[in-house]
Amino acid sequence: MAGVRLEAAEDPPTSDTSQVTGELLELALGYVYSAALHAAARFGVADELAEGPRTAGEIAHAVQVDGPHLYRLLRFLATKGVFREDDEGRFHLTPLAEPLRTGTERSLREYIMVRGEAAFWESAGRLHDAVRTGTTAFAGLYGIPFYDYVADEPEFGRAFNSSMAAFSEALSDDVAEVCVFPGASSVVDVGGGRGGLLRAVLRRNPHMTGTLLDRENVVAGHVLDEPDLTGRWSAVGGDFFASVPSGADVYLLKHVLASWPDEQCLQILRTCRAAVPAHGRLLAVNAMIPAGNEPHPGKTIDMLMMTVLDGRGRTRAEYEALLTAAGFTVTRFLEPSSHASVVEAVPTR
């Protein structure tokens, strides 16, 4: 327009400022990545790619979803390395997408699917309530503790227990590989879910027998009935707050303590202490929070605990303090993975 002068804008933001803004926005929209991942797991996209690359349209036809929408979903996930699109518009499995397949070794499909259920999704959305009140978001939303909800909702309970087994079994071989059992002939897996860790331990130690302890409805779905384990295991329904089978050489507590506050952890550990003989050992397995500002699974799990459970992530010193208070002496630490640090303890004499 004649007579109108366009003034130059103020200095554009520096590249550092733009990058910070972009990173912060990316964090703010992180839930969108979670939603996309849950959707891909739910529709079994990775299974459709097991035999080779396919277009989004081909996958959509196979799983009966909308092709253009699926394409946009997969294109988005490919920006994070979950799937890869080639120049011909076909999508490929990537190492990050492999665990989304069903029934494969270290499959996490069931775990990821359940974390997209309302019980988790809505609880995460109320994290601010947990921080404000010092309570758990899930209990505020649903009016009952999470594990009571699991027991009261059979369909969700089955899916949750199956998802936890998938997560646990993905790490069980790593834990069993670093745990040696010199002179031990018996082991009790306390709160061991379906027995994935116990199975891995018994496979690596054919001279040992084992007992799986968990809630009745959980051990009913155990994975121990295999030919090479015949006659070497038992599955017991029970409450680890009340009693634990006594007299075994080794006791395992994998991903149990992080689910409970200190008072309940002490109760569990004291119940174990009453069962562990003088020569016995306790191996507590949890993601252990390190010092510093670096990302770590233990810090993420700690946030998850605030949303659905009254548990918490802990540092090495905090786990050692709990074990000491319960009558144990810590003898060593192992770290087969960042999700599974092992604290070994013996009865204090």
Side-chain angles (χ1 to χ4, degrees), residues 33-57:
Y33 289 104
S34 296
L37 191 62
H38 295 145
R42 184 176 299 278
F43 297 134
V45 172
D47 291 335
E48 296 299 322
L49 296 176
E51 300 300 321
R54 303 177 73 181
T55 66

Side-chain angles (χ1 to χ4, degrees), residues 180-182 184 249-251 276-277 279-283 332 344-347:
V180 294
F181 304 96
D249 300 314
V250 179
Y251 288 76
V276 179
H279 70 275
R281 288 182 290 155
L282 175 74
L283 303 180
R332 65 173 176 161
E344 181 186 82
V346 298

Side-chain angles (χ1 to χ4, degrees), residues 45-340:
V45 172
D47 291 335
E48 296 299 322
L49 296 176
E51 300 300 321
R54 303 177 73 181
T55 66
E58 291 169 336
I59 302 168
H61 178 74
V63 302
Q64 298 185 339
V65 300
D66 183 78
H69 274 61
L70 182 65
Y71 172 77
R72 292 160 64 186
L73 178 82
L74 299 183
R75 178 179 62 186
F76 179 63
L77 285 172
T79 67
K80 292 295 186 183
V82 183
F83 310 115
R84 177 179 63 83
E85 184 182 10
D86 63 25
D87 294 338
E88 297 178 357
R90 299 175 303 173
F91 286 91
H92 298 242
L93 277 177
T94 61
L96 203 54
E98 279 286 349
L100 292 175
R101 292 177 59 192
T102 305
T104 59
E105 185 178 3
R106 296 177 180 254
S107 171
L108 290 173
R109 184 189 176 200
E110 290 182 87
Y111 183 88
I112 290 169
M113 285 174 61
V114 169
R115 268 59 193 177
E117 294 293 332
F120 288 96
W121 196 261
E122 293 174 353
S123 297
R126 306 302 298 183
L127 178 60
H128 60 279
D129 280 340
V131 174
R132 178 174 53 83
T133 62
T135 58
T136 301
F138 180 90
L141 277 170
Y142 289 84
I144 58 174
F146 178 77
Y147 281 124
D148 288 352
Y149 180 85
V150 170
D152 290 346
E153 299 289 335
E155 185 175 346
F156 177 82
R158 283 190 294 270
F160 172 73
N161 291 329
S162 182
S163 78
M164 289 305 299
F167 172 67
S168 179
E169 289 166 18
L171 301 171
S172 291
D173 285 338
D174 295 338
V175 175
E177 185 176 359
V178 302
C179 295
V180 294
F181 304 96
S185 61
S186 57
V187 56
V188 176
D189 192 357
V190 180
R194 298 196 309 187
L197 176 58
L198 181 59
R199 179 178 63 182
V201 168
L202 294 180
R203 282 174 172 172
R204 288 180 173 273
N205 299 273
H207 63 286
M208 295 182 70
T209 60
T211 300
L212 173 67
L213 173 73
D214 212 310
R215 298 184 306 278
E216 194 79 50
N217 64 310
V218 177
V219 298
H222 69 79
V223 294
L224 298 169
D225 195 9
E226 297 188 354
D228 58 333
L229 302 183
T230 300
R232 297 172 52 209
W233 61 271
S234 61
V236 178
D239 178 1
F240 52 45
F241 287 109
S243 66
V244 169
S246 62
D249 300 314
V250 179
Y251 288 76
L252 305 173
L253 271 175
K254 181 168 177 280
H255 293 146
V256 172
L257 299 180
S259 298
W260 301 96
D262 288 354
E263 184 178 346
Q264 278 81 3
C265 283
L266 283 173
Q267 188 176 348
I268 295 167
L269 289 171
R270 285 169 178 154
T271 303
C272 290
R273 177 64 186 86
V276 179
H279 70 275
R281 288 182 290 155
L282 175 74
L283 303 180
V285 183
N286 291 280
M288 198 173 299
I289 297 177
N293 300 312
E294 296 303 313
H296 190 274
K299 299 175 184 179
T300 305
I301 290 170
D302 191 37
M303 290 296 96
L304 181 61
M305 294 299 103
M306 287 174 62
T307 61
V308 295
L309 292 170
D310 196 19
R312 54 175 295 191
R314 294 180 177 87
T315 65
R316 170 174 169 169
E318 288 170 329
Y319 277 118
E320 186 167 1
L322 282 174
L323 287 159
T324 299
F328 289 96
T329 298
V330 173
T331 53
R332 65 173 176 161
F333 293 85
L334 302 168
E335 192 162 16
S337 87
S338 56
H339 282 278

